[in-house]
Amino acid sequence: MLVETCEEERIMSYPEFLEYPEPRYHGDKGEVNAAFRPARTPPDISSPGGSSTHYLATNESTGGEFGLYKLELGARAAGAKTHFHKAMSESFYILSGELELFNGERWVTGREGDFLYVPVGGLHAFKNVTDEPMSMLLLFSPGAPREEYFERVAEMSQRGGEELKRFRIRHDSYFVEDFEAEGE
């Protein structure tokens, strides 16, 4: 009887009709189209504070399915203040070091192997408050052309004001600080 119950529970956990996305490839034999990026590929962006960004998979290279970036933050790197995205989710996977992550309610410390998923519209922020560098993977889904954002955010932050706000909105980044005065 115990075996039957376990077998019954196992079968019930897999519905008969699974909902996969509609096929987008309609060939019969597959294609040779994989992209390989060696680990020693230099970062696409480096900053004087010891931070760097590696474009592992971009909107363009994935056909808009997702964007995957490796972000290395130097010691005491500011990261990003509280914001949300209207068109994409964002996920954080800590590769090494520690990172303070705001999950919309409170700050949590992410360490190697920790993961934070932020659905569309979810408030989030991050910063490195330690004296050591850290690295993480950032996953955006669906993919978006985020490269300009990473390449120009430091420059635009120095400009500030309405120009910075327009730049952020252009890149689906709605920072709470940009809208606080409007709501008061």
Side-chain angles (χ1 to χ4, degrees):
M1 183 70 173
L2 180 61
V3 173
E4 290 177 10
T5 303
C6 291
E7 182 65 21
E8 192 174 308
E9 287 176 14
R10 186 186 68 76
I11 291 170
M12 292 182 72
S13 67
Y14 297 102
E16 184 176 340
F17 299 102
L18 300 175
E19 294 187 32
Y20 275 78
E22 288 295 316
R24 294 182 295 151
Y25 175 74
H26 300 286
D28 295 328
K29 298 180 183 185
E31 297 179 7
V32 176
N33 58 6
F36 176 74
R37 182 181 166 107
R40 291 190 176 163
T41 303
D44 296 282
I45 307 169
S46 295
S47 68
S51 296
S52 62
T53 304
H54 301 256
Y55 301 154
L56 303 178
T58 63
N59 173 67
E60 183 178 347
S61 69
T62 67
E65 290 185 35
F66 66 93
L68 180 64
Y69 306 86
K70 179 181 177 188
L71 187 60
E72 297 167 329
L73 294 179
R76 304 276 171 200
K81 294 179 181 177
T82 304
H83 65 286
F84 64 94
H85 307 289
K86 292 184 177 184
M88 60 191 171
S89 65
E90 186 172 2
S91 297
F92 300 81
Y93 182 79
I94 309 301
L95 296 170
S96 66
E98 291 185 6
L99 183 69
E100 293 300 305
L101 296 156
F102 182 64
N103 67 9
E105 291 183 313
R106 62 186 175 91
W107 288 94
V108 296
T109 302
R111 295 179 178 85
E112 183 178 331
D114 288 342
F115 177 78
L116 176 68
Y117 167 66
V118 183
V120 175
L123 292 169
H124 61 287
F126 62 91
K127 58 187 173 184
N128 182 356
V129 299
T130 73
D131 291 325
E132 300 296 325
M134 66 79 54
S135 66
M136 67 177 156
L137 294 177
L138 291 178
L139 175 71
F140 297 97
S141 179
R146 299 289 289 170
E147 296 76 36
E148 181 190 21
Y149 182 81
F150 288 114
E151 292 168 10
R152 297 191 63 209
V153 68
E155 166 200 343
M156 298 306 288
S157 293
Q158 288 184 351
R159 292 182 186 184
E162 283 298 311
E163 193 172 4
L164 174 60
K165 181 179 175 180
R166 283 192 306 275
F167 173 78
R168 288 172 167 173
I169 290 171
R170 170 181 156 85
H171 290 286
D172 189 31
S173 296
Y174 297 84
F175 280 74
V176 171
E177 68 185 13
D178 289 340
F179 301 96
E180 287 178 331
E182 293 175 13
E184 296 176 348

